């Protein structure tokens, strides 16, 4: 049977899509290759959020084609995901070595199309059509995370976004909002739990809009909160994360959910984009700086140790020095644990790309460097404040940087590296933090095996973490 290599660019949604395509192909008998050099099929799962991401994938495909086509003319090369969706046939015209272009609503057709291409029935396949029901069409997982049994899994709960922020291409590449049903999502999560998964991350471009049309508000609870309650009830699952919510849809019912649902971890990724009301309005974000800060303070009132991360765009058209300083001030005020910083990139057919006062690249670079140093400084301080704390981690597997050590995550989503063994995989355990690096914590191995730390934590619903907690 053929072997496939899939390279993923971009967000967690893309990681999840790649995994589902891999699972689909494995079920058909494919093997998974470790690099493009050993593969009969090479698929690049692409991102369109910034031009940079597109250029990287285009460059990679060009290099692969130049490299592999000569030695192995039969290798099948394909683009899938967001750039495949937004550029479609143009990709084949531009790179004639590409055999397959698979849009974001067509992942479930990957095996059939590859069959056609490998058998020579078709020479090229470009499919970027819309497909009703595609949000529920892929639910398979390959559960071999970090060199062994997977402990965590991504579960896609919806596709698309209707918000149309003026900078964003996602509503075009992912289409309008479509939500899966609660029973469908719960049954996927239950299966994962039966296979040993302890933590799920519920994924969508705008999860706070989950089920907006299909599930009416019940007892003041939105469709998304109803879903969280249903997932909370699944036996065997210990932790629930989700990404990304939108501040606009972040109602009190969701804040309240943190009071009631112990599996909901104290970690929130809440994209702010800018700290200036003027810019937020130009971005069509639908909230103000004051409203964003209000949500943060409500969340911290319920869970004082909340780990908070965000997305920020630097150099949105018309962003002045004063606007930018408001973003800097907001970062200092909120004290995010980390932030994903994006240099503004004009995207095809988005209103912001046509705005007249684009910010020069040198200014974007300079602001980016300034905000990065604030984020790093605050992050380092928040991480260092955890030294000597005892925290609960879920052990996921060997550390990426040093396979001889193990890594886990705290409930507030901080990575902890410690000297453990494979038998710790999948365990919730207490560790004592001894050192902090930039966005990584190190735990004392001796503490891991102390009586009462590694074994008793299963009885506790959770051990809170973060600077506000002093054991
Ligand atoms: N709601 C989605 C957002 C997807 S895009 C989610 O978080 O899942 C991810 C981030 O990319 C956005 O939050 C934004 O900060 C950034 N981004 C989107 N379009 C951009 C553009 N044109 N230029 C720079 N950054 C952009
Ligand atoms: Fe993009 Fe805004 Fe939706 S950032 S994904 S249009 S909420």
């Amino acid at each position: 049977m053929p072997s496939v290599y899939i390279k993923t660019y971009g967000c967690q949604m893309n990681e999840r899509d790649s995994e589902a395509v891999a699972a689909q192909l494995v079920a058909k008998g494919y093997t998974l290759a470790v690099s493009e050099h050993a593969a009969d099929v090479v698929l690049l799962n692409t991102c369109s959020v910034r031009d940079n991401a597109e250029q990287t994938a285009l460059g990679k495909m060009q290099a692969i084609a130049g490299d592999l086509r000569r030695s192995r003319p039969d290798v099948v090369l394909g683009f899938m995901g967001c750039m495949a969706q937004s550029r479609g046939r143009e990709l084949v015209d531009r790179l004639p070595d590409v055999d397959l272009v698979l849009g974001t609503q067509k992942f479930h057709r990957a095996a059939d199309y590859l069959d056609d291409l490998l058998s020579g029935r078709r020479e090229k396949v470009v499919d970027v059509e819309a497909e009703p029901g595609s949000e529920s069409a892929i639910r398979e997982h390959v559960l071999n995370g970090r060199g062994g049994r997977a402990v965590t899994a991504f579960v896609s709960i919806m596709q698309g976004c209707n918000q149309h922020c003026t900078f964003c291409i996602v509503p075009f590449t992912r289409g309008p909002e479509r939500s899966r049903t609660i029973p469908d999502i719960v049954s996927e999560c239950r299966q994962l739990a039966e296979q040993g998964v302890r933590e799920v991350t519920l994924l969508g471009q705008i999860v706070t809009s989950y089920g907006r049309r299909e599930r009416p508000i019940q007892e003041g609870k939105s469709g998304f909160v109803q879903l969280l309650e249903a997932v909370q009830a699944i036996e065997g699952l210990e932790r629930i994360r989700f990404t990304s919510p939108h501040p606009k849809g972040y109602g009190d019912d969701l804040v309240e959910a943190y009071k009631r649902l112990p599996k909901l971890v104290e970690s929130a990724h809440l994209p702010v984009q800018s700290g200036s009301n003027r810019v937020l309005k130009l971005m069509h974000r639908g909230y103000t700086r004051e409203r964003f800060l209000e949500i943060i303070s409500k969340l911290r009132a319920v869970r004082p140790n909340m780990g908070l991360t965000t997305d920020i765009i630097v150099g949105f058209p018309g962003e002045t020095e004063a606007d930018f300083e408001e973003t800097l001030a907001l970062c200092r005020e909120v004290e995010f644990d980390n932030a994903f910083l994006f240099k503004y990139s004009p995207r095809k057919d988005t209103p912001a790309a046509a705005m007249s006062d684009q910010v020069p690249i040198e200014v974007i670079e300079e602001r980016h460097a300034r905000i990065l140093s604030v984020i790093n400084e605050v992050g380092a301080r928040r991480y260092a404040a955890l030294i000597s704390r005892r925290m609960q981690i879920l052990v996921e597997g060997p550390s990426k940087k040093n396979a001889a050590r193990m890594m886990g995550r705290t409930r507030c989503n901080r990575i902890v590296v410690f000297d453990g063994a494979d038998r710790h995989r999948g365990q919730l355990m207490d560790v004592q933090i001894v050192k902090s690096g930039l966005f990584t914590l190190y735990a004392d191995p001796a503490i891991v095996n102390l009586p009462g730390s590694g074994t008793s934590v299963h009885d506790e619903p959770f051990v809170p973490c973060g600077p506000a907690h002093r054991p």
Side-chain angles (χ1 to χ4, degrees):
M1 272 315 265
S3 61
V4 60
Y5 174 69
I6 305 179
K7 182 164 176 62
T8 309
Y9 299 87
C11 65
Q12 289 149 321
M13 187 72 87
N14 279 12
E15 279 180 48
R16 169 72 196 108
D17 292 337
S18 293
E19 195 209 303
V21 170
Q24 185 195 131
L25 297 178
V26 167
K28 298 267 179 195
Y30 281 71
T31 54
L32 298 178
V34 289
S35 84
E36 67 254 32
H37 301 287
D40 303 303
V41 175
V42 180
L43 299 174
L44 302 187
N45 193 6
T46 54
C47 170
S48 282
V49 159
R50 285 170 307 138
D51 187 51
N52 209 357
E54 292 203 348
Q55 296 309 328
T56 311
L58 286 167
K60 178 74 180 171
M61 184 59 91
Q62 229 158 1
I64 291 175
D67 207 20
L68 297 188
R69 265 277 182 259
R70 264 193 315 270
S71 50
R72 290 189 293 130
D74 293 335
V75 67
V76 170
L77 303 178
F79 279 119
M80 55 183 193
C82 288
M83 184 174 67
Q85 185 69 41
S86 70
R87 296 195 181 213
R89 179 157 294 279
E90 175 205 324
L91 290 169
V92 179
D93 297 340
R94 185 164 162 179
L95 293 168
D97 281 304
V98 171
D99 307 294
L100 172 67
V101 177
L102 196 64
T104 52
Q105 302 193 28
K106 297 294 176 175
F107 293 115
H108 60 292
R109 301 298 310 278
D112 290 345
Y113 290 149
L114 288 173
D115 231 23
D116 287 350
L117 290 163
L118 286 163
S119 65
R121 274 194 298 277
R122 292 173 76 174
E123 259 192 30
K124 302 262 175 210
V125 178
V126 177
D127 189 358
V128 295
E129 294 299 308
E131 171 126 355
S134 62
E135 66 278 9
S136 308
I138 45 169
R139 45 171 300 164
E140 301 89 351
H141 290 259
V142 268
L143 288 175
N144 54 350
R146 291 185 178 268
R149 176 172 72 82
V151 173
T152 62
F154 292 135
V155 174
S156 162
I157 63 166
M158 66 185 297
Q159 286 286 332
C161 181
N162 292 354
Q163 176 64 23
H164 284 278
C165 300
T166 54
F167 51 80
C168 187
I169 198 172
V170 170
F172 304 108
T173 58
R174 291 279 172 176
E177 288 165 18
R178 289 105 60 212
S179 297
R180 294 173 67 192
T181 65
I182 291 184
D184 194 21
I185 297 165
V186 166
S187 100
E188 183 176 334
C189 292
R190 193 170 286 133
Q191 260 174 26
L192 289 167
E194 281 161 9
Q195 290 169 289
V197 165
R198 316 287 307 268
E199 173 186 303
V200 289
T201 303
L202 306 178
L203 289 183
Q205 300 296 343
I206 180 158
V207 294
T208 33
S209 294
Y210 170 81
R212 219 157 31 139
R213 273 167 305 280
E214 303 83 354
R215 289 201 77 86
I217 295 198
Q218 279 176 10
E219 297 163 16
K221 293 175 207 155
S222 63
F224 183 55
V225 171
Q226 294 170 40
L227 170 67
L228 291 175
E229 286 178 346
V231 178
Q232 160 79 33
I234 297 172
E235 232 172 90
L237 277 189
E238 303 282 354
R239 291 175 167 191
I240 307 167
R241 302 185 187 280
F242 57 83
T243 195
S244 293
H246 191 290
K248 185 177 142 184
Y250 216 109
D252 286 346
D253 60 328
L254 185 48
V255 175
E256 284 282 313
Y258 279 97
K259 272 191 204 157
R260 291 182 293 115
L261 307 178
K263 291 181 186 174
L264 206 51
V265 292
E266 31 289 316
S267 160
H269 179 69
L270 198 51
V272 67
Q273 314 298 358
S274 169
S276 150
N277 282 336
R278 206 182 64 80
V279 173
L280 287 171
K281 200 161 181 189
L282 287 171
M283 288 177 162
H284 190 234
R285 288 292 290 176
Y287 55 87
T288 59
R289 172 195 181 93
E290 292 72 27
R291 171 67 188 137
F292 183 85
L293 292 172
E294 183 189 21
I295 298 168
I296 300 293
S297 69
K298 281 184 172 176
L299 281 172
R300 282 185 166 151
V302 175
R303 296 269 181 103
N305 309 309
M306 200 80 170
L308 283 168
T309 55
T310 196
D311 290 347
I312 290 167
I313 295 182
V314 182
F316 182 82
E319 181 190 77
T320 62
E321 175 62 23
D323 292 321
F324 173 69
E325 279 171 16
E326 286 196 69
T327 307
L328 275 184
L330 180 132
C331 290
R332 289 193 191 280
E333 182 174 343
V334 174
E335 298 212 308
F336 295 109
D337 291 279
N338 201 352
F340 298 91
L341 305 175
F342 297 89
K343 297 172 194 164
Y344 172 71
S345 167
R347 309 312 294 133
K348 196 173 71 172
D349 298 332
T350 59
M355 290 179 184
S356 55
D357 35 5
Q358 301 284 321
V359 178
I361 184 68
E362 318 79 72
V363 177
I364 293 183
E365 294 288 353
E366 185 256 347
R367 287 180 188 165
H368 180 269
R370 277 159 69 199
I371 195 160
L372 180 65
S373 86
V374 169
I375 294 296
N376 285 349
E377 173 203 316
V378 172
R381 187 160 12 98
R382 283 183 66 80
Y383 274 63
L386 299 175
I387 293 172
S388 86
R389 302 286 157 80
R390 193 171 139 144
M391 300 173 97
Q392 184 203 65
I393 61 168
L394 174 61
V395 182
E396 293 181 14
S399 153
K400 252 189 201 160
K401 287 194 187 133
N402 178 357
R405 310 193 82 196
M406 296 294 279
M407 70 74 68
R409 258 174 232 269
T410 65
R411 288 175 58 97
C412 32
N413 212 17
R414 291 165 176 124
I415 289 174
V416 177
V417 174
F418 67 103
D419 280 338
D422 203 61
R423 69 190 154 85
H424 294 125
R425 188 193 287 262
Q427 280 189 27
L428 287 172
M429 60 202 301
D430 269 4
V431 292
Q432 185 140 359
I433 307 303
V434 292
K435 199 174 99 179
S436 75
L438 196 58
F439 307 119
T440 306
L441 296 170
Y442 299 88
D444 189 329
I447 307 293
V448 170
N449 295 319
L450 277 183
S453 62
T455 48
S456 68
V457 277
H458 294 284
D459 308 325
E460 301 169 19
F462 64 89
V463 179
C465 51
H469 174 62
R470 288 190 184 278

